[in-house]
Amino acid sequence: MTNKNQINVGVVGAAGKMGIELQQVIIEAGHIPFVGIYKKTKPEGFVHSTTNWQDKSLLEVDLWIDFSLADNFDLSIHQLAIYKKPIVCGTTGLSESQKELLKKASTQAPILWSTNMSVGIAFINQLLTQFSTIKNFDFQIE
């Protein structure tokens, strides 16, 4: 029996280190690792796995998570935006032109992009912003 609150999650880069971790998090959250998109190594544990961006199973995804490599980013962000579903992107090392593609894709689908999804790093970044407003204070992080 499926829960009506479950969502079908698609993961780009599903066979990578983050893709494997995400699959476990998706299951623990009570959702479905529905589609795993991969380039070389077929991921296990997804309802569907594919290298084909025209695969009909992609239409059933409710949320996309992209932790692919920057060299695949141009194609993946373009394809994901076509589906007009929310996208969480943690792809790092994007060029300025790729950041422009990300901005353009955000006009088609809601996107959350961050180069680091760690809560600890977000906290440190917030602290650094606050420290920067203090005059005549020298600080360092080791």
Side-chain angles (χ1 to χ4, degrees):
M1 184 170 125
T2 60
N3 179 340
K4 68 178 181 172
N5 294 322
Q6 286 181 315
I7 59 173
N8 290 342
V9 182
V11 177
V12 181
K17 186 176 179 180
M18 281 303 297
I20 293 166
E21 291 291 325
L22 283 166
Q23 184 186 127
Q24 188 62 37
V25 170
I26 292 164
I27 292 168
E28 288 173 3
H31 301 296
I32 303 166
F34 193 72
V35 174
I37 295 182
Y38 66 100
K39 188 170 183 179
K40 294 179 184 173
T41 305
K42 185 176 181 177
E44 296 181 18
F46 286 84
V47 176
H48 303 278
S49 297
T50 186
T51 59
N52 180 0
W53 284 104
Q54 279 66 50
D55 189 303
K56 292 187 188 284
S57 66
L58 278 60
L59 296 170
E60 297 179 55
V61 171
D62 301 311
L63 168 70
W64 287 102
I65 303 175
D66 182 358
F67 272 88
S68 61
L69 300 174
D71 62 346
N72 298 321
F73 182 79
D74 296 21
L75 174 63
S76 66
I77 197 64
H78 172 74
Q79 292 295 328
L80 294 178
I82 290 171
Y83 296 107
K84 299 184 183 330
K85 300 292 181 166
I87 303 165
V88 175
C89 182
T91 301
T92 60
L94 298 182
S95 68
E96 289 304 315
S97 65
Q98 289 173 315
K99 289 177 186 176
E100 284 299 316
L101 287 174
L102 186 67
K103 189 175 181 180
K104 182 178 177 185
S106 72
T107 64
Q108 295 179 273
I111 299 176
L112 168 66
W113 173 73
S114 177
T115 58
N116 194 311
M117 298 287 179
S118 164
V119 173
I121 295 296
F123 178 71
I124 288 172
N125 284 337
Q126 192 171 37
L127 283 177
L128 290 173
T129 301
Q130 291 176 1
F131 282 144
S132 70
T133 63
I134 301 172
K135 305 267 189 234
N136 301 318
F137 182 74
D138 184 27
F139 67 93
Q140 65 184 25
I141 297 175
E142 294 183 20

